[in-house]
Amino acid sequence: MCGIVAYIGKNTAYPIVVNGLKRLEYRGYDSAGIVLNSGSSFTLSKTKGKVSDLEEKAENVDKVSTIAMGHTRWATHGVPSDTNSHPHLSNDESIAIVHNGIIENYEPIKKMLTSKGFQFHSETDTEVLVNLIQYFRDTEKISLTEAVRYALNEAIGAYAIAVMEAENSNKIIVGRLSSPLAIGIGKDEFYVASDASPFVEFTKEALYLEDGEMATLELGKAIDIRKIVDNTKVIPAIQELQLTLEQIEKGGYDHFMLKEIYEQPKSIMDTMRGRILVNEGIIQMAGIWDNLEKFTNASRIIIVSCGTSWHAGLIGEYLIEDLARIPVEVEYASEFRYRNPIITDKDVVIAISQSGETADTLAALKMAKEKGAFIYGICNVVDSSIARLTDAGSYTHAGPEIGVASTKAFTAQVSILSMIALKLAKHTGKISNQQFHLLASELELIPEKVEKTLKLDEQIKEISKKFVNATNFLYLGRGYNFPVALEGALKLKEISYIHAEGYPAAEMKHGPIALIDENMPVVIIATKKGHYEKVVSNIQEIKSRKGIVIAVVTEGDEQVKGMADYLIEVPETSECFTPLVTSIPLQLLSYHIAVMRGANVDQPRNLAKSVTVE
Ligand code: G6P
């Protein structure tokens, strides 16, 4: 994880880099740092904590330089501390580096460098890399660019780096392997960042470095991209950024998470826009259409993902098996990649990832590709690593998601999976034209129903007040709403730090029921379609053990009303689309509880939005 930012040009670099770091804090916020280059020496300021702490610390630092690099960290090697914070300098203080990723073979390199007299002040792998660069530059008598290339050829692991030399204030060198790196190209200036958000208001011209590439950004010269392995020249693929400033600002909301929860009618609509043609009986998705046979002839579809995206994958399994009758398996990417799974060229592997950068998902996909599977991506970030690796895919058009806890990306993923299931079901004749018409029309109504569900916000806020001091929560659901229960529990624990468990409602009696007493809040999804009567029985089981029931039910429900302590009524929809509606109150519940507990909902402790380490 971690975020890196660098600037070289004619403007004062400090505010550009610091504001850029703030936009990248979703990538980690254990520490922050900046290094400015005066043309002969570095000014370094770094601290444990957030970018706002860095601003305080750097208050008196000379900020006139027009070249600087910054870093916001999610700790991997070494505890969060001032010393372990980036940027790191080489032993002779002539080279500075910022790094996102992990250098896996740093130990033997460190040993070698130590034997040559190098000293290390931090516990980081990054300090090893910057000294390796110094070592190559000095022993081989080569330029910094060449020294970076030599060092990167020795490094095993993942990196996006930016490097500069104290004596050379018109050049920054960057390189990437498995960690994202975007370059913004202005007039006589360059921007570097882990994603394009830090420079969106300055330039629309950008390029994304590919794996195994490095670039020299030198004032007065065109960007020079090379392959790290053999220094061959690469033609820059410059593109126009679609991102806007408005998309990455809070827009009057207290938190990004709340803004993103409220954006869902629009983000779901954007994800479906132009894709559902009810009257023509068509779901228009080029990625599926062009590869229809691959899907319909697949021996099975395997969905790989992590976190919230994995929960979306579980809903995808229910949808595709239920509607299209194609076997689906859902795997945690981190398990899948290491368990020697059986994959053949008859398999379709779908990766779901908001960021498109999650290291385990990316590695799982690479493995599936090597074994001959057809690989498909469902990503939110355009041009992300997963999007570029896959044979085909569908973007969720949810817009940038900045709150670390995923909300609108989740419902956008489920919307895509709903459309894929419908398309495959229609094409294979597993549903009739009439059923298709019914379901597609219902899917089109989801944004409206989500809008209506959001009106429950005040009621949910009131309910939340009762549970600010809860220590445990259970979330239960069946069928399509079992993954929603898992996601509800994940949301709560991520941002409020209350322990929460999601469970299939019927499994409750095989364990969690032992936890139920008068202090245990149980959120249970009991919408009308989908095992309703059975869930009602589960509610009775909870009540007879004095548990506190917060029930999410279909509007107009009478039966659960008499039993539940708190009732949240959501609009009715087809059973297979209920997750798109029932997940909304659970997002709001966790949001309000977390805010009332004084937690930082957008940047929960220890988490990061984009997990680019395994
Ligand atoms: C992190 C984030 C989660 C996200 C997961 C997978 O844990 O905090 O919100 O669901 O990574 O990320 P991806 O970008 O692959 O969907």
Side-chain angles (χ1 to χ4, degrees):
M1 288 96 97
C2 305
I4 65 171
V5 182
Y7 172 77
I8 178 168
K10 50 193 182 305
N11 293 310
T12 314
Y14 180 85
I16 296 172
V17 170
V18 166
N19 290 333
L21 289 178
K22 285 185 183 160
R23 291 194 192 149
L24 293 185
E25 269 193 316
Y26 73 86
R27 303 181 65 84
Y29 29 81
D30 288 331
S31 70
I34 185 166
V35 61
L36 299 124
N37 188 338
S38 68
S40 56
S41 65
F42 291 133
T43 306
L44 182 65
S45 187
K46 51 188 194 172
T47 182
K48 179 180 169 191
K50 299 190 183 250
V51 180
S52 52
D53 299 306
L54 172 68
E55 282 182 294
E56 271 176 38
K57 189 161 182 178
E59 207 181 349
N60 299 319
V61 165
D62 165 29
K63 296 167 190 150
V64 292
S65 304
T66 55
I67 169 169
M69 313 192 305
H71 188 270
T72 177
R73 176 168 188 245
W74 188 82
T76 56
H77 289 56
V79 294
S81 69
D82 292 1
T83 327
N84 286 334
S85 308
H86 297 218
H88 288 283
L89 301 185
S90 61
N91 269 198
D92 67 359
E93 300 195 348
S94 70
I95 306 170
I97 190 170
V98 285
H99 168 215
N100 162 213
I102 292 182
I103 306 301
E104 287 168 7
N105 59 336
Y106 80 105
E107 281 286 2
I109 300 176
K110 192 171 184 176
K111 235 186 221 158
M112 182 280 284
L113 290 172
T114 308
S115 75
K116 306 279 179 201
F118 280 83
Q119 287 179 350
F120 294 90
H121 310 288
S122 75
E123 301 156 271
T124 66
D125 48 340
T126 307
E127 195 188 6
V128 173
L129 186 60
V130 71
N131 281 305
L132 186 64
I133 295 170
Q134 184 198 315
Y135 170 75
F136 279 128
R137 184 198 59 187
D138 297 347
T139 52
E140 304 285 327
K141 310 263 180 283
I142 50 179
S143 67
L144 180 69
T145 311
E146 267 303 271
V148 169
R149 205 173 68 75
Y150 274 43
L152 292 184
N153 273 313
E154 295 296 317
I156 297 172
Y159 53 78
I161 57 160
V163 179
M164 66 180 177
E165 216 169 10
E167 285 180 356
N168 201 341
S169 59
N170 66 346
K171 197 190 282 180
I172 289 178
I173 294 145
V174 296
R176 113 157 231 186
L177 184 69
S178 299
S179 295
L181 196 131
I183 300 171
I185 302 165
K187 199 170 175 329
D188 301 325
E189 57 186 357
F190 293 105
Y191 302 83
V192 175
S194 300
D195 72 33
S197 63
F199 54 80
V200 62
E201 69 266 51
F202 303 119
T203 180
K204 288 282 178 228
E205 272 190 35
L207 67 85
Y208 294 88
L209 222 53
E210 296 288 343
D211 268 352
E213 288 179 2
M214 58 183 287
T216 304
L217 313 173
E218 190 168 352
L219 287 180
K221 292 193 179 165
I223 185 169
D224 183 27
I225 306 180
R226 305 277 169 157
K227 290 238 182 275
I228 293 167
V229 65
D230 57 9
N231 208 28
T232 47
K233 218 171 159 64
V234 177
I235 311 286
I238 298 171
Q239 50 180 277
E240 194 184 338
L241 273 185
Q242 301 302 323
L243 195 68
T244 65
L245 191 57
E246 197 199 1
Q247 285 176 310
I248 54 168
E249 288 185 331
K250 274 193 208 151
Y253 286 90
D254 288 342
H255 298 97
F256 280 112
M257 183 178 175
L258 189 62
K259 177 187 174 221
E260 287 156 7
I261 290 174
Y262 269 86
E263 277 175 348
Q264 288 175 108
K266 180 171 184 300
S267 52
I268 296 173
M269 177 83 92
D270 287 345
T271 298
M272 299 191 313
R273 196 182 303 284
R275 284 171 162 162
I276 307 179
L277 308 176
V278 180
N279 292 331
E280 290 84 339
I282 292 173
I283 300 283
Q284 202 155 261
M285 297 175 95
I288 302 287
W289 181 251
D290 295 344
N291 302 287
L292 208 48
E293 307 286 280
K294 291 246 168 20
F295 280 90
T296 52
N297 295 335
S299 57
R300 62 189 173 153
I301 294 172
I302 305 166
I303 299 179
V304 292
S305 42
C306 304
T308 290
S309 299
W310 183 76
H311 294 153
L314 286 180
I315 298 171
E317 177 181 22
Y318 281 85
L319 280 160
I320 297 171
E321 290 205 344
D322 187 13
L323 300 178
R325 313 300 300 151
I326 300 171
V328 181
E329 285 169 28
V330 187
E331 299 251 10
Y332 285 115
S334 54
E335 287 298 314
F336 182 73
R337 63 182 285 200
Y338 285 119
R339 71 167 182 78
N340 195 16
I342 299 164
I343 309 167
T344 72
D345 58 5
K346 290 259 176 310
D347 294 324
V348 169
V349 176
I350 301 181
I352 306 178
S353 175
Q354 186 287 127
S355 62
E357 301 293 345
T358 302
D360 282 321
T361 311
L362 192 58
L365 261 193
K366 282 184 183 158
M367 183 186 75
K369 190 174 188 159
E370 273 160 27
K371 297 198 177 200
F374 175 75
I375 59 171
Y376 198 85
I378 299 177
C379 297
N380 194 37
V381 177
V382 175
D383 259 335
S384 51
S385 302
I386 291 175
R388 280 182 285 147
L389 178 75
T390 41
D391 296 315
S394 307
Y395 281 119
T396 50
H397 296 296
E401 189 181 64
I402 293 164
V404 165
S406 184
T407 51
K408 66 172 180 173
F410 171 73
T411 46
Q413 291 164 347
V414 175
S415 304
I416 289 279
L417 291 160
S418 305
M419 289 186 286
I420 292 179
L422 265 184
K423 187 171 180 70
L424 295 177
K426 170 86 190 317
H427 187 77
T428 51
K430 294 291 183 321
I431 55 172
S432 65
N433 287 345
Q434 199 189 357
Q435 279 170 308
F436 175 86
H437 196 273
L438 208 99
L439 288 170
S441 314
E442 191 52 42
L443 191 53
E444 276 199 314
L445 291 175
I446 291 293
E448 231 172 79
K449 294 187 176 177
V450 170
E451 185 87 61
K452 197 164 176 214
T453 310
L454 287 168
K455 299 225 159 61
L456 301 171
D457 195 11
E458 272 310 309
Q459 186 211 345
I460 294 168
K461 196 170 175 181
E462 284 306 308
I463 298 175
S464 305
K465 284 182 188 159
K466 314 275 184 208
F467 299 101
V468 178
N469 297 317
T471 46
N472 290 290
F473 255 88
L474 259 185
Y475 283 74
L476 303 176
R478 288 182 91 129
Y480 279 100
N481 282 305
F482 158 52
V484 176
L486 293 180
E487 175 58 11
L490 177 66
K491 280 297 79 93
L492 187 74
K493 61 189 151 196
E494 275 181 314
I495 61 170
S496 73
Y497 318 135
I498 296 174
H499 169 248
E501 269 189 68
Y503 243 80
E507 274 290 305
M508 174 185 69
K509 52 185 154 317
H510 299 290
I513 200 162
L515 300 168
I516 296 178
D517 62 14
E518 65 280 10
N519 298 316
M520 176 65 95
V522 184
V523 178
I524 183 156
I525 304 146
T527 41
K528 266 278 154 58
K529 293 169 193 154
H531 322 290
Y532 177 71
E533 295 302 336
K534 299 206 183 301
V535 181
V536 170
S537 306
N538 296 138
I539 295 177
Q540 266 155 351
E541 289 157 14
I542 301 163
K543 278 323 293 175
S544 56
R545 279 144 191 100
K546 302 198 173 61
I548 310 161
V549 171
I550 305 158
V552 178
V553 297
T554 310
E555 268 172 357
D557 183 292
E558 286 300 328
Q559 208 175 339
V560 177
K561 199 176 189 173
M563 289 184 250
D565 299 85
Y566 303 94
L567 203 69
I568 301 173
E569 296 183 62
V570 297
E572 184 165 3
T573 182
S574 307
E575 185 192 350
C576 59
F577 304 138
T578 47
L580 288 165
V581 177
T582 51
S583 53
I584 310 294
L586 306 196
Q587 295 169 348
L588 287 167
L589 186 72
S590 58
Y591 171 78
H592 289 302
I593 293 178
V595 171
M596 288 173 200
R597 285 165 72 93
N600 184 343
V601 294
D602 282 339
Q603 295 175 345
R605 71 181 179 212
N606 303 339
L607 297 177
K609 185 146 194 73
S610 183
V611 183
T612 52
V613 294
E614 63 170 288

